[in-house]
Amino acid sequence: HNQIANEAAWEVIREQGKAIDAVEAGVKIPEADPNDQSVGYGGRPDRDGNVTLDACIMDETGNAGSVCFLKNIKHTISVARKVMDETPHVLLAGQGAWEFALSNGFQTENLLTEKSKAEWKKWLEEAEYKPKINIELHDTIGMLALDDSQNRAGACTTSGLAYKLAGRVGDSPIIGAGLFVDNEVGAATSTGMGEAGLKSVGSFLV
Ligand code: ASP
């Protein structure tokens, strides 16, 4: 699915579009894909069975928008973009982010698919929780783009760690941790155990 995401972003770049529009278009692909169980619709829930989403976006001027602990809105990245473009803030959380999304025309929908629900129910039988840093069990999408005007942008969107505690937010919506763009230096984004990225302000550091 993430190859298709690259293609969607490339369409924008090829038409001399802006990097910020490319990354938004790109990461919307896995957000809508029920088979991607780490992002958007179809994402694995927290341990209470709620799919809670985090995302952020950043442009070449250092402008940024972000949402965290957002429920029932598929295209989290586009809500983050609205925060960036249309508010004086960077980060909206939870109920406030949801209400902001609704007031901007986003639809509320159930994001827990039967597949993710069945896996969660199975997990509940043992309810073992020992997340560890690894290279296998994560698939947040972070995307970076460079456009014809030599401008960089990035986007990062996720349903976070599966079966996390309710209210847990990882690195993905935090500017500097899950994503950072500096048009002179470069850009970085991350996936994996968000707690590690948060403690190191990983994307900024890289
Ligand atoms: N980085 C994400 C988080 O900690 C998870 C992931 O990449 O799978 O929320």
Side-chain angles (χ1 to χ4, degrees):
H1 33 248
N2 290 349
Q3 206 170 342
I4 304 170
N6 282 344
E7 281 161 19
W10 185 244
E11 284 289 306
V12 177
I13 300 288
R14 194 171 39 210
E15 301 297 319
Q16 278 77 48
K18 295 177 71 179
I20 190 74
D21 295 323
V23 292
E24 181 182 357
V27 305
K28 283 174 81 172
I29 300 291
E31 280 187 340
D33 181 354
N35 295 316
D36 188 324
Q37 291 179 280
S38 303
V39 180
Y41 176 53
R44 293 190 182 88
D46 65 14
R47 64 187 57 186
D48 299 334
N50 293 309
V51 179
T52 68
L53 304 175
D54 301 329
C56 72
I57 191 160
M58 191 169 192
D59 75 8
E60 77 280 2
T61 68
N63 222 1
S66 165
V67 285
C68 69
F69 197 56
L70 177 60
K71 296 183 200 165
N72 300 318
I73 304 285
K74 188 190 288 173
H75 287 304
T76 332
I77 198 66
S78 298
V79 185
R81 175 84 189 259
K82 287 263 178 220
V83 173
M84 177 175 101
D85 287 346
E86 283 166 35
T87 79
H89 306 305
V90 172
L91 173 59
L92 292 182
Q95 179 80 8
W98 180 74
E99 283 169 14
F100 173 77
L102 292 192
S103 70
N104 278 280
F106 290 82
Q107 300 294 317
T108 193
E109 55 192 306
N110 176 24
L111 302 178
L112 184 62
T113 55
E114 285 308 316
K115 184 169 187 238
S116 287
K117 189 173 177 180
E119 287 181 14
W120 164 63
K121 290 234 155 124
K122 180 107 191 85
W123 177 82
L124 281 177
E125 287 169 16
E126 309 245 315
E128 260 195 50
Y129 192 69
K130 287 188 194 142
K132 57 176 189 186
I133 295 173
N134 64 13
I135 57 164
E136 305 92 14
L137 294 175
H138 50 82
D139 202 10
T140 291
I141 183 165
M143 180 178 278
L144 307 172
L146 175 64
D147 66 27
D148 263 8
S149 309
Q150 296 301 301
N151 285 326
R152 291 170 172 78
C156 185
T157 176
T158 191
S159 51
L161 294 181
Y163 321 133
K164 60 197 173 186
L165 280 172
R168 180 266 185 190
V169 171
D171 58 327
S172 305
I174 305 300
I175 297 298
L179 174 70
F180 198 75
V181 176
D182 180 318
N183 220 35
E184 283 183 44
V185 179
T189 185
S190 67
T191 180
M193 204 168 92
E195 282 70 9
L198 282 166
K199 288 175 194 166
S200 60
V201 199
S203 291
F204 181 76
L205 182 65
V206 170

